[in-house]
Amino acid sequence: MTKNYKVPAKPYEFEFDIESTAFMIIDMQRDFLYPGGFGEKLGNDVSATNSIIPNVKKVLEAAREKDMLIIHTREGHRPDLTDVPESKAKRGGGIGEQGPMGRILVRGEYGHDIVDELQPKENEVVIDKPGKGAFYQTDLESILRNKNIKSLIVSGVTTHVCVQTTIREANDRGYECLMLEDCCAAFDKRDHEDSIRMINQQGGIFGWTTPSKYLLEELKK
């Protein structure tokens, strides 16, 4: 595979080509990012998750200009809640209950959908996932295989949960992953920073990490 782009990253340079790379935006949903949503209802400060929207939007626009495969994910469940494990229901903070933006983590509700600033276009993939990882009980892997994708550039929330889980799943499946540090966020800054180290340590045990500016600079060449 010919690599067209080289991005400064940790632990070393990340190489990729447009045709075999997808840009993933994980769970940038109103309930997790907007004031008054589910995340804030749980007692979290959503300013950190909300603050990355402009950074993700810049990369999204650049990816669209390059005609990259773009994949959005949303965590949520069937309206009848038949796909919610009992263990998750007990610890999920009220899945299915009425929240500030509709029923919590239920597909089709206002809070479940992607934030206004990052709304998908018709030709972009939207993956509705019932778990933390984007591969679990979804057709994501089939889509990536059918499109001959080898590398994933990953953004979204939260860094230590759905983002990191997806990268670990992708790594086990042979995909090369670049996490954009300032396009990911957690409610607790320590969780975000620890996750970055976990991804790129030991020679890139799960993948690479870098600020988005380096990717944007490379894409402009």
Side-chain angles (χ1 to χ4, degrees), residues 193-207:
E193 293 174 345
D194 287 346
S195 296
I196 292 172
R197 182 180 58 82
M198 289 177 189
I199 296 298
N200 66 42
Q201 67 179 328
Q202 297 180 37
I205 190 169
F206 295 116

Side-chain angles (χ1 to χ4, degrees), residues 5 16-24 59-60 62-71 123-124 149 151-153 215 219:
Y5 296 95
F16 71 99
D17 69 84
I18 293 295
E19 290 75 16
S20 64
T21 301
F23 176 48
M24 289 194 69
V59 178
L60 176 58
R64 284 170 172 166
E65 289 178 4
K66 294 291 185 179
D67 292 324
M68 291 177 64
L69 177 65
I70 295 169
I71 300 172
N123 64 330
E124 295 171 359
I149 297 300
S151 302
L152 302 176
I153 296 174
L215 172 66
L219 289 177

Side-chain angles (χ1 to χ4, degrees), residues 139-210:
D139 56 0
L140 174 59
E141 187 162 16
S142 294
I143 293 169
L144 297 178
R145 298 298 184 198
N146 291 340
K147 292 291 187 178
N148 296 314
I149 297 300
K150 307 296 182 184
S151 302
L152 302 176
I153 296 174
V154 185
S155 64
V157 298
T158 54
T159 319
H160 64 304
V161 183
C162 295
V163 172
Q164 189 175 159
T165 300
T166 297
I167 290 176
R168 287 169 179 253
E169 289 180 330
N171 176 74
D172 281 345
R173 289 166 170 80
Y175 296 99
E176 295 183 332
C177 298
L178 174 67
M179 187 179 80
L180 301 179
E181 297 171 5
D182 57 337
C183 290
C184 297
F187 297 121
D188 188 320
K189 184 179 179 181
R190 293 171 299 179
D191 292 334
H192 174 70
E193 293 174 345
D194 287 346
S195 296
I196 292 172
R197 182 180 58 82
M198 289 177 189
I199 296 298
N200 66 42
Q201 67 179 328
Q202 297 180 37
I205 190 169
F206 295 116
W208 293 256
T209 71
T210 194

